[in-house]
Amino acid sequence: MIDVYAIETENLRKEFKNIVAVDDLNLKVNKGEIFGLLGPNGAGKTTTISMLCTILKPTSGKAFVNGYDVVKEQDKVRKSIGIVFQDPSLDDRLTARENLEMHASLYGVKEKKQRIKEVLELVELTEKADMLVKTFSGGMKRRLEIARGLVHHPEVLFLDEPTLGLDPQTRAHIWDYIRDLAKKENITIILTTHYMEEADSLCDRIAIIDHGKIIACDTSEKLKKTLKGESIILKVSDNKKAEKYLDNAKVFDGKIAVYVKNAEKEITKILFKLKRHKIDVYEVSIRKPSLNDVFLALTGREIRDEENNKKLIRRGPWS
């Protein structure tokens, strides 16, 4: 196996009894990429990550992380990766520094004090290093978990829903840290997220997975260009009635979204139809295709933020 890709899979498959969670998946992730893995719940993304992290053994096929076989060279894989789980995994009875020291000791990190100093500086927690973690905000804890995932110099960092449950401002700050660490640490980042804007903003490439298969993989811009059309967004007096009478319409964020090939040509017809059915229109706007539109077109579903959905990587094999 030539060590060309950070991650490479060949017909990777995972079955649970009669359920195929990952279906002959073929994937190549370049070194240094921020690579997004998107999919609805149950699509197979977390099962895929669990196999890449050696938590689960594949039913068949092959997978290589940093050139190491995830079945035959598990120890080498584990030493070369970092993981930030969706669920909190810090010891909040310890200080930030103590959490990092414990992790560094487990991995046998050389020059431990210097490395801990570096990662604390990277996530801007130097001044909070000797505070108990239980006093930290949600965003500070997330940054510390990222620092812990980096302390042993991994070549690949897996981020499983890294900003789930955080407020928008804190999420935006975490995005900045992720961008910076990818450059400063020269590592590959695999990101799973339910936030479309997160994937759109951060990822060099995005793979959409559904029913255990990769159904699309490209840059965000190229994925959006596959949709030849626009959405007309309308705030109206009766969403259900408007959805009934308009073609290709659906309720979206409390408004009606109508997908058309040419908005300028169609907008007059739509407004006339709504007026004929006595539906008042309060606002009209035109929107270019979004990553969410691509996801909906490919999967027939919208991605959901389900904060109570527990991931396989921590709990059990159901994703």
Side-chain angles (χ1 to χ4, degrees):
M1 180 68 190
I2 299 173
D3 185 10
V4 176
Y5 299 101
I7 290 173
E8 184 172 7
T9 69
E10 299 173 2
N11 299 319
L12 188 64
R13 187 177 184 88
K14 183 62 182 178
E15 299 176 9
F16 298 106
K17 295 182 179 179
N18 296 322
I19 298 172
V20 178
V22 175
D23 190 1
D24 295 336
L25 186 139
N26 292 289
L27 183 65
K28 292 179 180 178
V29 179
N30 299 313
K31 290 186 176 182
E33 272 193 298
I34 300 180
F35 189 88
L37 195 60
L38 300 182
N41 294 321
K45 59 186 184 298
T46 307
T47 303
T48 299
I49 286 181
S50 295
M51 288 189 284
L52 295 175
C53 294
T54 75
I55 294 171
L56 282 177
K57 185 177 180 180
T59 302
S60 61
K62 295 180 179 180
F64 302 89
V65 177
N66 296 315
Y68 302 126
D69 189 304
V70 299
V71 175
K72 298 177 181 178
E73 300 172 287
Q74 290 188 3
D75 287 346
K76 291 181 179 178
V77 171
R78 290 168 184 167
K79 287 179 181 178
S80 69
I81 64 173
I83 308 172
V84 176
F85 297 110
Q86 175 189 330
D87 294 336
S89 57
L90 297 166
D91 190 329
D92 63 6
R93 297 165 297 180
L94 300 178
T95 66
R97 191 187 307 278
E98 288 169 340
N99 269 277
L100 295 175
E101 285 175 345
M102 182 171 61
H103 191 81
S105 295
L106 287 171
Y107 276 87
V109 176
K110 296 179 179 179
E111 299 182 359
K112 183 168 62 176
K113 288 185 179 180
Q114 177 60 30
R115 182 55 179 167
I116 289 172
K117 180 177 180 290
E118 289 172 357
V119 295
L120 284 170
E121 289 176 353
L122 185 65
V123 297
E124 297 181 8
L125 286 175
T126 301
E127 294 182 2
K128 310 292 184 182
D130 297 309
M131 291 177 58
L132 292 176
V133 172
K134 65 182 179 182
T135 66
F136 282 17
S137 66
M140 290 167 64
K141 288 179 180 178
R142 219 63 181 130
R143 283 151 52 194
L144 180 59
E145 287 180 310
I146 291 172
R148 187 184 61 182
L150 292 170
V151 78
H152 60 290
H153 299 280
E155 294 178 67
V156 176
L157 179 65
F158 292 91
L159 300 179
D160 186 31
E161 303 283 356
T163 64
L164 187 62
L166 301 179
D167 64 84
Q169 185 176 6
T170 304
R171 276 168 46 206
H173 288 159
I174 296 293
W175 296 355
D176 290 337
Y177 292 121
I178 292 172
R179 287 191 198 95
D180 287 345
L181 73 87
K183 293 178 182 177
K184 292 177 181 178
E185 294 288 314
N186 192 30
I187 60 175
T188 305
I189 294 177
I190 310 300
L191 173 76
T192 70
T193 180
H194 276 80
Y195 296 118
M196 286 297 180
E197 70 273 24
E198 186 162 85
D200 205 353
S201 173
L202 287 176
C203 298
D204 298 306
R205 285 192 302 148
I206 296 165
I208 297 176
I209 185 170
D210 198 21
H211 301 296
K213 289 182 175 292
I214 299 291
I215 57 175
C217 182
D218 214 325
T219 66
S220 177
E221 287 305 309
K222 287 183 179 179
L223 287 172
K224 286 184 280 190
K225 285 180 180 179
T226 61
L227 294 183
K228 306 295 184 182
E230 302 165 304
S231 292
I232 299 172
I233 312 299
L234 304 132
K235 186 176 181 181
V236 299
S237 58
D238 191 329
N239 282 339
K240 288 186 177 180
K241 194 175 178 181
E243 190 176 22
K244 177 182 177 181
Y245 289 112
L246 296 176
D247 296 329
N248 299 319
K250 65 183 293 294
V251 178
F252 180 79
D253 287 343
K255 299 180 181 180
I256 285 290
V258 186
Y259 184 74
V260 295
K261 289 186 177 180
N262 188 315
E264 289 187 10
K265 288 183 178 180
E266 298 294 330
I267 196 165
T268 303
K269 297 176 185 177
I270 288 170
L271 292 175
F272 180 77
K273 186 177 285 188
L274 291 172
K275 182 178 181 180
R276 190 174 67 201
H277 291 287
K278 299 180 179 179
I279 300 169
D280 296 326
V281 178
Y282 306 121
E283 293 178 11
V284 181
S285 61
I286 297 172
R287 191 189 69 189
K288 296 292 183 181
S290 67
L291 194 55
N292 192 69
D293 295 326
V294 176
F295 189 90
L296 182 62
L298 290 170
T299 68
R301 292 176 274 178
E302 282 191 83
I303 202 162
R304 299 293 184 186
D305 297 329
E306 296 186 12
E307 295 186 16
N308 294 323
N309 179 47
K310 302 301 181 184
K311 298 294 183 180
L312 167 63
I313 203 166
R314 292 279 289 162
R315 301 295 184 186
W318 53 72
S319 179

